[in-house]
């Protein structure tokens, strides 16, 4: 950006009074800045220079202001920054000598502006506070997020340049430090391998292990282990501390899952392993009862290098260089065909895992985010639900009762609680049967829905139980689909909310 353009932006700022308008002007300015100019450009628009005090006396400044103009083309912000750098390291009158050729290229207005910047007396009514708001708006961050980031990087120029080069999600890793736990990256649920193949090209698959998330930090001999919710769980896993100490780098943050294994090395159910994270006493005894196996799948930081901005492929390469014992690495593969992927998924389930994770090859590590970069595909569960209502269908299903409201029994077995809706899996035959039979149990109806007594039972497959404020039950089934109508079963014999609780870690309050 030419220096003249900056001066014009500053004039516009001076002309408007409203804060919102000022912020909008600064946002436009930020859009015009190149990456190279970002750090100091932001300082200029907030009324200061990157170099701080240059200690030039008024006499020197007036000499610069009144020098003869020789050039016509306005210098770039980059050139200005270079001159100011040189001036800062120069002494006494040399500062003026260094700056003279620069001032000779400036118009009268530009000179005045640069002098105000140098002395820090720019009167445009837009200081650091407004620039911070503009940066937040530029990246679509909340005021709170930008304030938190600013605490970590208390220089708006550097903060803006950092976010511009790394992307706004890098805000989460600002100041990534050993022993300061990072929110773990999360996965979205995907229904099937087929779905993933339709939408994405380049991804790897990993076993989805049913253990506890571990974030292992090490600095020399100090090791700390953090849970998914950033709780310090170091004391629960002394053997993991030893494993971490043996790895051939001095400083790291690795991400992974600790699984419990039986005498044959097969994963034990999560509920068994959970004892290791809850029991505070008898750690040695617990170590013997439920031995664990760390399964690392990511590297966030190694020997001073923040890897979170690197791609999955790059991070995994670093990880495999560090973790040489293959037993401690999560099994992964890059499927060439769908058949490859299905084989890997089936093998994972056979080995006692929960399913597979899909990880996009060029994705960065996004702490705390559940984006379209990691997906989990879990094996399906089935339960029996009672139909509580059905909505009239659209399109091909017009005239048929289709979208079913599904309920399970409460703890006492006396009340039905809704846990989801689905029309998936219904065959034409089922649709006809439901349309003929459900109205027999009608309680009331509105334009769209027929509410019924819980009499008809359906077997439902689903992939996950999720927390949901939508239903009184507090949970919802993900990817529910009808397997069959259970005309052999009464609604008093269906599953209860407790059965769902067992499948859901959230409702158990286990991390
Ligand atoms: P969920 O808890 O169902 O949302 O699934 C995400 C959790 O799966 C993560 O927090 C990890 O604890 C766990 N997990 C198991 N295997 C992997 C893997 N290969 N990559 C990432 N997370 C995994």
């Amino acid at each position: 950006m030419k220096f003249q353009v900056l001066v014009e932006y500053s004039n516009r700022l001076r002309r408007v009074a409203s804060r919102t308008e000022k912020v909008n002007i600064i946002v436009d300015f930020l859009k015009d800045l190149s990456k190279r100019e970002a750090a100091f450009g932001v300082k200029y628009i907030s009324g200061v220079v990157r170099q701080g005090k240059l200690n030039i006396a008024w006499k020197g400044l007036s000499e610069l202001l009144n020098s003869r103009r020789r050039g016509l083309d306005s210098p770039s912000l980059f050139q200005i920054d270079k001159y100011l750098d040189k001036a800062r390291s120069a002494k006494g009158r040399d500062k003026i000598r260094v700056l003279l050729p620069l001032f000779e290229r400036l118009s009268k207005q530009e000179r005045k502006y640069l002098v105000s910047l140098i002395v820090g007396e720019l009167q445009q009514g837009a200081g650091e506070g407004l620039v911070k708001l503009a940066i937040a708006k530029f990246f679509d961050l909340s005021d709170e997020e930008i304030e938190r980031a600013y605490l970590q990087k208390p220089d708006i120029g550097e903060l803006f340049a950092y976010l511009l080069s790394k992307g706004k999600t890098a805000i989460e890793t600002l100041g990534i430090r050993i022993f300061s736990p990072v929110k773990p990256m999360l996965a979205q649920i995907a229904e099937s391998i087929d779905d993933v193949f339709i939408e994405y090209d380049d991804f790897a698959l990993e076993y989805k292990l049913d253990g506890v998330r571990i974030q292992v930090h090490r600095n020399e001999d100090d090791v700390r282990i953090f849970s998914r919710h950033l709780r310090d769980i170091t004391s629960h896993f002394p053997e993991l501390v030893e494993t971490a100490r043996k790895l051939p780098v001095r400083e790291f943050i690795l991400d992974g899952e600790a699984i419990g294994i039986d005498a044959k090395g097969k994963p034990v159910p999560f509920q068994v392993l959970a004892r290791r994270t809850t029991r505070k006493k008898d750690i040695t005894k617990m170590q013997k009862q439920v031995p664990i196996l760390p399964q690392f799948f990511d590297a966030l930081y190694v020997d001073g290098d923040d890897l979170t901005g690197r791609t999955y492929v790059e991070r995994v390469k670093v990880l495999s260089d560090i973790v040489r014992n293959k037993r401690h690495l999560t099994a992964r593969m890059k499927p060439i065909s769908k058949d490859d992927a299905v084989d890997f998924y089936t093998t994972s389930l056979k080995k006692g895992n929960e399913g597979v994770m899909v990880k996009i090859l060029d994705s960065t590590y996004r702490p705390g985010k559940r984006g379209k970069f990691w997906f989990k595909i879990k094996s399906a569960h089935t339960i029996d639900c009672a139909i509580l209502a059905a909505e009239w269908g659209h399109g091909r299903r017009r005239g048929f009762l289709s979208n079913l409201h599904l309920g399970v029994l409460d703890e006492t077995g006396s009340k039905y609680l809704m846990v989801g809706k689905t029309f998936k899996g219904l065959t034409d035959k089922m649709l006809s049967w439901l349309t003929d039979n459900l109205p027999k149990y009608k309680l009331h109806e509105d334009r769209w829905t027929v509410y019924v007594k819980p009499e008809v039972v359906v077997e439902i497959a689903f992939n996950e139980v999720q927390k949901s404020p939508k239903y009184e039950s507090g949970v919802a089934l993900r990817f529910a689909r009808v397997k069959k109508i259970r005309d052999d079963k009464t609604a008093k014999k269906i599953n209860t909310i407790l059965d769902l609780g067992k499948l859901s870690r959230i409702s158990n309050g286990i991390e």
Side-chain angles (χ1 to χ4, degrees):
M1 181 188 287
K2 293 274 184 210
F3 190 56
Q4 177 56 36
V5 178
L6 168 71
V7 177
E8 281 157 19
Y9 269 109
S10 176
N11 287 340
R12 278 174 63 194
L13 280 174
R14 201 172 301 124
R15 282 198 297 268
V16 300
S18 110
R19 279 168 67 84
T20 324
E21 275 182 74
K22 282 187 194 277
V23 168
N24 289 341
I25 294 173
I26 303 173
V27 171
D28 286 343
F29 168 80
L30 296 179
K31 285 184 192 156
D32 277 354
L33 277 182
S34 70
K35 274 193 181 161
R36 189 166 86 145
E37 308 160 325
F40 41 89
V42 169
K43 295 290 247 187
Y44 297 159
I45 201 71
S46 74
V48 290
V49 296
R50 186 173 65 89
Q51 289 74 9
K53 283 204 167 18
L54 288 180
N55 295 324
I56 307 177
W58 263 111
K59 200 165 152 254
L61 288 173
S62 83
E63 201 177 313
L64 289 171
L65 275 171
N66 298 315
S67 59
R68 196 144 48 94
R69 188 165 188 195
R70 289 178 201 274
L72 280 177
D73 85 292
S74 177
S76 68
L77 299 191
F78 186 74
Q79 288 168 323
I80 300 271
D81 185 64
K82 287 273 155 292
Y83 274 107
L84 294 179
D85 251 0
K86 267 201 246 163
R88 194 188 44 185
S89 37
K91 297 235 157 43
R93 264 207 65 79
D94 278 350
K95 287 185 192 283
I96 311 298
R97 261 182 230 120
V98 165
L99 289 177
L100 202 56
L102 171 66
F103 272 78
E104 284 175 349
R105 285 170 64 186
L106 301 180
S107 69
K108 216 167 165 188
Q109 198 190 26
E110 288 171 319
R111 288 171 188 213
K112 273 196 186 154
Y113 182 85
L114 187 54
V115 167
S116 318
L117 272 185
I118 290 174
V119 296
E121 282 178 5
L122 194 67
Q123 311 266 318
Q124 60 180 21
E128 201 170 86
L130 282 193
V131 177
K132 243 191 271 171
L133 291 180
I135 296 177
K137 188 160 183 193
F138 181 93
F139 289 108
D140 194 19
L141 294 167
S142 69
D143 295 354
E144 194 198 330
E145 281 176 310
I146 200 77
E147 283 306 333
R148 201 159 18 94
Y150 182 68
L151 281 180
Q152 303 284 350
K153 241 190 210 313
D155 178 305
I156 43 169
E158 278 177 29
L159 179 62
F160 180 69
Y162 177 83
L163 293 175
L164 201 61
S165 70
K166 301 218 165 195
K168 77 177 230 187
T169 48
I171 201 153
E172 296 286 348
T173 49
L174 259 178
I176 187 168
R177 284 188 307 270
I178 302 277
F179 302 143
S180 155
V182 180
K183 280 194 211 157
M185 181 158 169
L186 301 171
Q188 277 193 12
I189 181 167
E191 186 169 359
S192 64
I193 300 262
D194 272 10
D195 277 13
V196 173
F197 262 92
I198 291 169
E199 284 221 27
Y200 301 95
D201 294 328
D202 279 334
F203 55 83
L205 296 177
E206 292 177 6
Y207 284 173
K208 180 170 191 330
L209 308 148
D210 195 9
V212 287
R213 187 84 176 248
I214 44 167
Q215 192 178 100
V216 183
H217 293 228
R218 172 179 160 196
N219 180 13
E220 304 286 352
D221 270 351
D222 287 339
V223 174
R224 289 258 157 281
I225 304 159
F226 298 96
S227 74
R228 171 176 174 150
H229 297 296
L230 315 184
R231 191 161 64 89
D232 189 329
I233 49 170
T234 316
S235 61
H236 295 270
F237 298 114
E239 65 272 58
L240 188 49
V241 172
E242 282 317 305
T243 307
R245 281 197 185 125
K246 285 192 194 122
L247 298 182
V249 274
R250 290 175 295 124
E251 220 195 5
F252 60 71
I253 304 177
L254 301 186
D255 192 1
E257 187 94 345
I259 54 167
I261 47 167
D262 63 16
K264 288 189 187 140
K266 268 206 123 194
V268 297
F270 169 73
Q271 282 76 6
V272 177
L273 171 70
R275 281 191 245 140
R276 289 277 319 247
T277 59
T278 46
R279 282 273 287 274
K280 292 210 174 83
K281 285 193 200 146
D282 302 331
I283 301 269
T284 329
K285 207 164 111 198
M286 293 301 296
Q287 246 180 289
K288 289 211 183 85
Q289 266 178 22
V290 191
I292 57 145
L293 185 68
Q295 296 278 280
F296 294 108
F297 50 70
D298 220 313
L300 276 52
Y301 182 92
V302 173
D303 282 345
D305 254 348
D306 174 356
L307 305 174
T308 53
R310 310 254 194 99
T311 65
Y312 169 79
V313 173
E314 291 168 316
R315 298 195 311 276
V316 163
K317 164 87 180 64
V318 175
L319 178 71
S320 2
D321 285 346
I322 299 173
V323 183
R324 310 246 169 88
N325 181 348
K326 295 280 170 284
R327 265 172 41 88
H328 292 165
L329 283 175
T330 308
R332 76 180 77 240
M333 64 115 51
K334 187 174 170 333
I336 306 289
S337 67
K338 215 188 288 174
D339 286 350
D340 273 359
V342 172
D343 279 354
F344 188 76
Y345 175 71
T346 321
T347 315
S348 178
L349 291 183
K350 262 197 212 139
K351 288 191 182 275
N353 302 315
E354 265 195 311
V356 289
M357 300 289 292
V358 178
K359 297 190 175 174
I360 305 296
L361 295 185
D362 62 6
S363 64
T364 54
Y365 192 94
R366 290 151 208 258
K369 296 280 185 266
R370 203 184 280 285
K372 288 185 178 298
F373 309 100
W374 286 11
F375 298 92
K376 48 187 170 177
I377 304 179
K378 294 195 197 180
S379 63
H381 305 281
T382 54
I383 54 163
D384 293 323
C385 291
I387 300 178
L388 305 179
E391 293 169 20
W392 292 106
H394 300 283
R396 204 173 62 79
R397 296 171 180 215
R398 183 176 293 276
F400 289 101
L401 281 171
S402 144
N403 204 11
L404 307 179
H405 296 201
L406 307 168
V408 293
L409 280 165
D410 71 356
E411 289 95 335
T412 62
S414 55
K415 192 174 156 195
Y416 291 87
L417 300 171
M418 190 161 164
V419 289
K421 292 184 190 181
T422 192
F423 52 80
K424 286 200 182 149
L426 287 170
T427 60
D428 289 350
K429 210 168 142 199
M430 288 180 190
L431 284 169
S432 303
W433 190 92
L434 290 168
T435 310
D436 290 344
N437 289 282
L438 279 178
K440 291 184 199 160
Y441 309 108
K442 184 166 93 183
L443 292 170
H444 58 101
E445 71 181 309
D446 58 29
R447 225 171 108 197
W448 299 279
T449 314
V450 178
Y451 296 87
V452 293
K453 268 206 285 183
E455 291 284 346
V456 179
V457 177
V458 274
E459 185 180 310
I460 299 291
F462 63 95
N463 291 48
E464 194 171 279
V465 185
Q466 268 192 351
K467 236 186 195 165
S468 166
K470 227 162 69 189
Y471 303 124
E472 192 195 338
S473 64
V475 294
L477 306 179
R478 290 299 313 277
F479 297 125
R481 53 227 180 241
V482 181
K483 296 301 269 186
K484 58 172 142 131
I485 297 173
R486 298 283 312 252
D487 42 14
D488 57 327
K489 203 162 194 178
T490 72
K492 284 271 159 244
K493 292 262 156 55
I494 62 165
N495 288 87
T496 70
I497 194 79
L498 295 175
D499 301 325
L500 287 186
K502 280 183 208 141
L503 297 172
S504 150
R505 290 189 191 189
I506 336 159
S507 43
N508 279 332
I510 300 172
E511 48 178 18

